[in-house]
Amino acid sequence: MIHTLQENVAIILPENGLVEKLKKAHEDNRKLTIKLGFDPTAPDLHLGHAVVLKKLRQFQNLGHQIIIVVGSFTARIGDPTGKNKARKPLSKEDVEHNAQTYINQLSKIIDMKKTKIVFNSDWLDSLGFPEVIELISKVTVAQLMHRNDFSKRFTENTPIAMHELVYPILQAFDSVKIECDIEMGGTDQLFNCTMGRQLQEAHQMPAQIVMCMPLLKGLDGKEKMSKSLNNIIGLTDEPNEMFGKTMSIPDALIDEFIDLTTDFSSEEKINLKSKIENGENPMNVKKTIAKNIITQYHNEALAENAGQFFMSQLQSKNPEEKIFAPVIIDALFSTGDSVTLLELCHQLKNDLSKSAVKRLIEGGGIQINAVKVIDPDETVKLLPQTKIKIGKRTFFELV
């Protein structure tokens, strides 16, 4: 059991904390309270989020209590991004919309009937100013400056707003309110999670342990998976999209994807990695990974269909074998007989921002009737049988 719970974990703090927590819970005949907090900043979950959620599911399968803390208050403040600037705070409406979308998607991995959902605005909204002062008095500026991005910005004379310094304290207070035993997160949340330990001790409570999972790299193979970087595989992506995106990962990411995105047994993972070492074509291993991912979030039949679709759409060089999704012209634009390429592609791929579509066009990723077009402002006539290829995996035909 311990081995399973520790598998793929990047950091456990303190090192023997998990063993001690499980031992104490057994002695007290109780279940552990496992916390995952998130600020609903973007409404879509992806495979990077799933790395932590799968670990939560392991605890849940052992009967422990999972508590999801929605940062309905802290999201309106804005957690520092880890970069040299503050994150833009969200409106109350944005928070509510994104939170509900998150909660709906969590059910793809964890059992929501056995999961407790709480909102930190329930206790943070009601704090009076004297209580806030008392809370922040338990943390020193020197301790806050141990956070890497704060330290870096201070050294570079980059402004740090006071609300940013308060954010980790408020987030940590969540652990006090729910009496958390274990807080989960990515390695980028290590400081915030350890702050929870400190506040619990200041409130004469047993300190939670911290378990940080590694950050899954995105499709670019460089940065962590993030919607803002447009390098994600979303949990709600269609099977064909999931398959194509998985096939696009750099070969250097194969081992990481085997470990963090698949649900193969340990033996199966070792066998897959050994195939690469023994000269197996990386594309064959990626296909195995892609089918496994789709099976997890859709089903096995759709995984097989997506594999066939990939073969015909991307591997086959015969244009006659391509499948172009029909799009009714009047459903796209109610007026006019022509639009700019940017407007057309954005309507067809509305999951991408206009700036992302523009970059795709200028990078040569768009074809109209098999002709590459790189000017976003070029006029496209809305004629039936016009065929549009967007990126490597998306094909449309106007009807």
Side-chain angles (χ1 to χ4, degrees):
M1 179 180 69
I2 290 290
H3 173 74
T4 299
L5 292 175
Q6 292 180 335
E7 185 180 18
N8 290 328
V9 178
I11 301 169
I12 300 179
L13 185 72
E15 190 173 340
N16 66 338
L18 179 59
V19 175
E20 293 300 319
K21 283 287 184 183
L22 289 169
K23 179 181 177 182
K24 187 68 168 61
H26 179 72
E27 291 173 353
D28 296 343
N29 192 29
R30 71 177 185 88
K31 299 302 181 182
L32 296 172
T33 296
I34 321 293
K35 167 193 171 186
L36 175 66
F38 69 84
D39 282 351
T41 53
D44 298 316
L45 295 179
H46 52 68
L47 292 185
H49 297 113
V51 175
V52 176
L53 293 172
K54 286 180 179 180
K55 188 59 61 177
L56 285 179
R57 185 177 63 194
Q58 290 179 352
F59 278 104
Q60 195 171 52
N61 289 342
L62 293 171
H64 299 291
Q65 176 65 64
I66 305 302
I67 298 184
I68 303 295
V69 180
V70 180
S72 50
F73 181 95
T74 43
R76 304 201 308 264
I77 296 177
D79 182 21
T81 60
K83 302 176 182 178
N84 289 348
K85 60 182 179 180
R87 192 183 71 195
K88 182 180 178 181
L90 299 179
S91 69
K92 183 178 180 180
E93 292 72 25
D94 287 338
V95 168
E96 291 175 352
H97 173 266
N98 292 351
Q100 189 56 56
T101 306
Y102 265 127
I103 291 169
N104 292 342
Q105 293 175 32
L106 289 174
S107 61
K108 285 184 169 289
I109 299 177
I110 61 178
D111 186 345
M112 296 306 295
K113 293 180 181 178
K114 299 178 181 178
T115 301
K116 187 175 181 180
I117 306 288
V118 298
F119 296 80
N120 66 9
S121 56
D122 288 348
W123 50 83
L124 292 177
D125 272 342
S126 61
L127 286 181
F129 197 61
E131 294 170 300
V132 173
I133 295 299
E134 181 184 1
L135 181 61
I136 65 177
S137 72
K138 300 181 185 300
V139 180
T140 69
V141 174
Q143 289 169 328
L144 289 171
M145 295 311 294
H146 280 127
R147 180 163 160 159
N148 290 336
D149 53 335
F150 287 159
S151 177
K152 186 173 187 293
R153 288 162 64 184
F154 182 78
T155 302
E156 296 174 350
N157 292 320
T158 301
I160 305 173
M162 283 300 299
H163 74 281
E164 295 182 79
L165 295 176
V166 172
Y167 178 94
I169 305 173
L170 297 179
Q171 185 264 358
F173 190 56
D174 297 344
S175 293
V176 174
K177 296 301 292 185
I178 68 169
E179 300 182 7
C180 178
D181 292 303
I182 302 174
E183 180 163 11
M184 296 289 306
T187 52
D188 56 344
Q189 290 296 309
L190 177 61
F191 180 88
N192 287 355
C193 294
T194 54
M195 184 62 66
R197 285 176 54 83
Q198 179 177 332
L199 277 194
Q200 285 178 319
E201 290 175 337
H203 285 81
Q204 289 76 53
M205 297 172 60
Q208 67 184 20
I209 70 165
V210 176
M211 293 182 65
C212 293
M213 300 301 293
L215 301 178
L216 178 68
K217 292 188 183 68
L219 302 180
D220 52 12
K222 299 175 183 177
E223 303 287 344
K224 75 171 184 177
M225 192 169 283
S226 170
K227 186 174 182 181
S228 63
L229 298 175
N230 194 33
N231 66 356
I232 71 168
I233 299 177
L235 299 190
T236 58
D237 280 353
E238 293 299 318
N240 292 342
E241 189 76 2
M242 276 186 166
F243 200 101
K245 286 181 176 180
T246 304
M247 296 302 296
S248 75
I249 66 171
D251 292 352
L253 271 191
I254 290 178
D255 281 4
E256 186 171 325
F257 263 62
I258 290 174
D259 284 333
L260 300 181
T261 71
T262 71
D263 64 356
F264 293 124
S265 67
S266 297
E267 293 77 13
E268 289 172 319
K269 290 179 179 181
I270 292 171
N271 289 337
L272 271 180
K273 292 177 185 178
S274 66
K275 286 183 178 181
I276 293 291
E277 294 172 0
N278 295 329
E280 176 81 29
N281 187 337
M283 181 170 285
N284 294 334
V285 177
K286 289 181 191 178
K287 288 178 181 177
T288 302
I289 295 171
K291 288 181 180 180
N292 180 270
I293 290 172
I294 296 167
T295 300
Q296 289 179 68
Y297 301 106
H298 294 281
N299 59 55
E300 187 174 356
L302 290 176
E304 288 296 329
N305 290 342
Q308 293 299 321
F309 181 84
F310 178 84
M311 292 283 289
S312 64
Q313 293 293 88
L314 301 177
Q315 288 193 296
S316 172
K317 297 184 183 301
N318 184 356
E320 299 301 320
E321 295 183 3
K322 306 298 183 186
I323 302 172
F324 287 79
V327 177
I328 300 173
I329 296 173
D330 290 345
L332 280 181
F333 298 97
S334 57
T335 59
D337 59 359
S338 62
V339 293
T340 65
L341 181 62
L342 178 61
E343 284 293 339
L344 175 60
C345 293
H346 184 245
Q347 284 292 327
L348 293 171
K349 286 287 289 179
N350 54 23
D351 58 321
L352 297 180
S353 65
K354 275 196 173 183
S355 57
V357 173
K358 185 177 181 181
R359 289 193 297 270
L360 188 61
I361 295 171
E362 292 174 341
I366 307 296
Q367 291 183 14
I368 302 294
N369 293 326
V371 177
K372 188 181 296 184
V373 184
I374 59 173
D375 181 5
D377 296 320
E378 181 161 328
T379 298
V380 179
K381 292 185 177 181
L382 300 177
L383 300 174
Q385 298 183 330
T386 298
K387 293 184 175 181
I388 305 109
K389 179 184 177 186
I390 301 178
K392 296 179 179 179
R393 298 179 294 276
T394 310
F395 301 78
F396 297 104
E397 180 177 5
L398 301 183
V399 296

